[in-house]
């Protein structure tokens, strides 16, 4: 197949190649001669499927990120390109996709709906254009944003998800560790882990375990201080207080047969792992979750007291934002965390 003649004006005067590939006019005869311009073989920048797909791809990244700057970093483009793309899409749709202020950018309700539909279209198109061997891997590619309590996230959550990243190198995990309550919707969190009761109709939650709490102290402190026989005895003993970052006040100590109370502390911290280290150093009695105390109790570095008064174990939940259908990458991470945490002995 070749073109036999091209004029200096860029017009094709011989269309025999069209007949070779079976093109016919409406009356069944050879395709009629026409003047072909160079622009017939280029794709305009605006108003085309290619351009629309790229706008959607950039918008979806912006919708899933905390900021336009973060979206730009994920896509490998400048923040200005993200801003221009979003603005162009808003003008095309005649709808605001984000609420903008000097402090933050938040997606609108219309933008959330478009992001869900747009992500499906972008993923579907990109999947079709990938080589067959890569399509299966593409189903679990992209970003998954997670949140978890700090100590639980550094340990059990990362241990559970490390094999997932090895198996799916196209997957990216963004783990945010915090003891403070997280607004998962505003911060674009896909999957979260929570200790305590979770009541929010926007989430699908699975209770995977119940974590026990222990009052513990080092053998050095046990030797030099009075061993408490009841929770009330703690009022006269050095204790370690953990600050609740949501309220700024120490977490009250919980017991099965007594009201929650907060003894006068000898050591205060907003990091529960630092509280464990303080207990190991003999600075005071501490109330710790089993996953932080278990190994040290087994080795004798910590000794449990007041075991008959231990509080009712707290539920541990894995949750995700209620979207349908669930992207494969989010389902994979959610299911893996449910499986791993349900089997974890240190949470019991």
């Amino acid at each position: 197949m070749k073109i036999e003649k091209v004029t200096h004006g860029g017009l094709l005067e011989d269309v025999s190649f069209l007949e070779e590939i079976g093109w016919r006019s409406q009356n069944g005869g050879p395709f009629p001669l026409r003047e072909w311009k160079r622009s017939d073989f280029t794709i305009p920048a605006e108003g085309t499927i290619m351009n629309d797909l790229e706008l959607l791809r950039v918008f979806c990244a912006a919708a899933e990120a905390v900021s336009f700057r973060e979206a730009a970093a994920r896509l490998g483009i400048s923040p200005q390109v993200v801003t221009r793309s979003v603005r162009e899409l808003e003008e095309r749709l005649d709808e605001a996709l984000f609420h903008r202020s000097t402090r933050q950018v938040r997606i609108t309700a219309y933008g959330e709906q478009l992001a869900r539909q747009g992500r499906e279209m972008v993923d579907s198109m990109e999947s079709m254009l990938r080589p067959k061997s890569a399509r299966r891997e593409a189903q679990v590619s992209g970003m998954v944003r997670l949140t978890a309590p700090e100590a639980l996230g550094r340990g059990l959550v990362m241990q559970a998800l490390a094999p997932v990243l090895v198996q799916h190198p196209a997957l990216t995990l963004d783990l945010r560790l915090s003891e403070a309550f997280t607004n998962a919707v505003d911060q674009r969190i896909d999957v979260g882990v929570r200790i305590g009761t979770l009541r929010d109709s926007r989430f699908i939650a699975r209770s995977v375990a119940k974590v026990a709490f222990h009052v513990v102290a080092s053998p050095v402190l046990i030797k030099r201080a009075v061993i408490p026989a009841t929770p009330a005895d703690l009022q006269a003993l050095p204790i370690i207080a953990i600050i609740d970052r949501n309220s700024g006040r120490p977490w009250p100590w919980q017991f099965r047969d007594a009201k929650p109370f907060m003894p006068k502390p000898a050591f205060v911290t907003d990091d529960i792992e630092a509280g464990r280290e303080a207990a190991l150093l003999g600075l005071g009695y501490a109330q710790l979750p089993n996953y932080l105390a278990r190994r040290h109790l087994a080795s004798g570095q910590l000794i449990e007291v007041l075991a008959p008064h231990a509080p009712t174990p707290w539920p541990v939940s894995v949750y995700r934002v209620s979207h349908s259908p669930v992207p494969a990458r989010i389902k994979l991470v959610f299911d893996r965390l449910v499986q791993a945490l349900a089997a974890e002995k240190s949470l019991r």
Side-chain angles (χ1 to χ4, degrees):
M1 179 176 67
K2 66 178 182 178
I3 302 173
E4 297 181 356
K5 186 177 181 182
V6 181
T7 69
H8 293 294
L11 307 182
L12 305 184
E13 294 184 348
D14 191 303
V15 292
S16 58
F17 73 101
L18 294 177
E19 295 178 355
E20 290 180 18
I21 62 174
W23 281 29
R24 300 295 181 194
S25 63
Q26 292 182 354
N27 59 15
F31 200 89
L33 182 65
R34 60 159 290 187
E35 292 186 345
W36 293 83
K37 300 179 180 179
R38 293 188 185 276
S39 60
D40 291 323
F41 296 91
T42 62
I43 300 175
E46 297 183 1
T48 68
I49 292 177
M50 293 295 289
N51 176 254
D52 292 347
L53 181 63
E54 182 62 20
L55 288 180
L56 274 178
R57 189 173 75 89
V58 174
F59 164 69
C60 289
E64 294 164 1
V66 173
S67 66
F68 285 5
R69 185 173 297 277
E70 180 182 303
R74 292 184 189 178
L75 295 172
I77 58 179
S78 70
Q80 290 78 12
V81 172
V82 176
T83 300
R84 286 198 302 269
S85 298
V86 170
R87 185 180 298 117
E88 180 178 343
L89 195 57
E90 289 178 324
E91 292 174 355
R92 293 270 299 279
L93 298 173
D94 195 24
E95 286 280 357
L97 300 177
F98 291 91
H99 297 298
R100 298 167 176 81
S101 69
T102 55
R103 297 182 60 185
Q104 63 179 348
V105 177
R106 295 182 59 185
I107 196 166
T108 64
Y110 181 87
E112 288 181 344
Q113 181 181 1
L114 179 64
R116 287 194 295 270
Q117 297 173 346
R119 173 51 64 190
E120 293 176 22
M121 295 175 64
V122 171
D123 288 348
S124 178
M125 180 66 74
E126 291 181 345
S127 177
M128 286 190 296
L129 295 178
R130 286 188 179 94
K132 185 176 180 181
S133 60
R135 289 179 189 172
R136 185 173 182 179
E137 178 64 33
Q139 293 176 357
V140 287
S141 65
M143 174 76 73
V144 178
R145 294 177 61 90
L146 305 100
T147 184
E150 293 179 9
L152 191 62
R154 289 192 191 100
L156 300 181
V157 170
M158 291 184 65
Q159 292 168 18
L161 295 180
V164 176
L165 281 180
V166 173
Q167 185 178 2
H168 303 282
L171 184 68
T172 300
L173 297 181
D174 182 343
L175 176 60
R176 305 302 172 98
L177 301 177
S178 176
E179 305 296 335
F181 297 147
T182 300
N183 190 324
V185 174
D186 286 351
Q187 297 191 21
R188 313 285 192 270
I189 296 298
D190 299 307
V191 180
V193 179
R194 171 78 179 273
I195 298 176
T197 305
L198 179 67
R199 297 188 181 94
D200 196 321
S201 60
R202 296 175 297 177
F203 302 126
I204 301 296
R206 289 279 301 276
S207 180
V208 295
K210 291 187 177 181
V211 60
F213 284 80
H214 311 282
V215 176
V216 299
S218 71
V220 173
L221 181 59
I222 292 289
K223 287 180 180 179
R224 77 168 188 259
V226 176
I227 299 177
T230 68
D233 294 339
L234 291 169
Q235 299 284 7
L237 296 173
I239 69 101
I240 296 164
I242 310 298
I243 296 296
D244 176 0
R245 293 177 184 172
N246 297 290
S247 65
R249 298 188 295 270
W251 282 100
W253 286 36
Q254 307 279 338
F255 295 97
R256 188 183 304 271
D257 50 2
K259 292 182 178 180
F261 70 97
M262 186 65 246
K264 183 179 179 180
F267 181 84
V268 180
T269 178
D270 66 348
D271 184 274
I272 194 168
E273 290 180 287
R276 178 191 60 187
E277 295 306 308
L280 288 167
L281 292 170
L283 301 184
Y285 287 87
Q287 189 171 54
L288 299 175
N290 190 53
Y291 59 85
L292 284 182
R294 187 172 187 259
R295 176 166 59 91
H296 303 289
L297 289 171
S299 68
Q301 293 175 289
L302 292 175
I303 297 173
E304 182 175 13
V305 300
L306 299 175
H309 305 276
T312 302
W314 286 26
V316 179
S317 301
V318 179
Y319 64 91
R320 61 174 174 80
V321 177
S322 179
H323 284 322
S324 182
V326 183
R329 64 186 186 280
I330 294 177
K331 186 177 188 304
L332 175 69
V333 172
F334 180 84
D335 290 346
R336 175 56 184 160
L337 280 177
V338 168
Q339 178 187 18
L341 296 183
E344 179 55 49
K345 293 180 180 180
S346 68
L347 289 178
R348 302 170 187 170

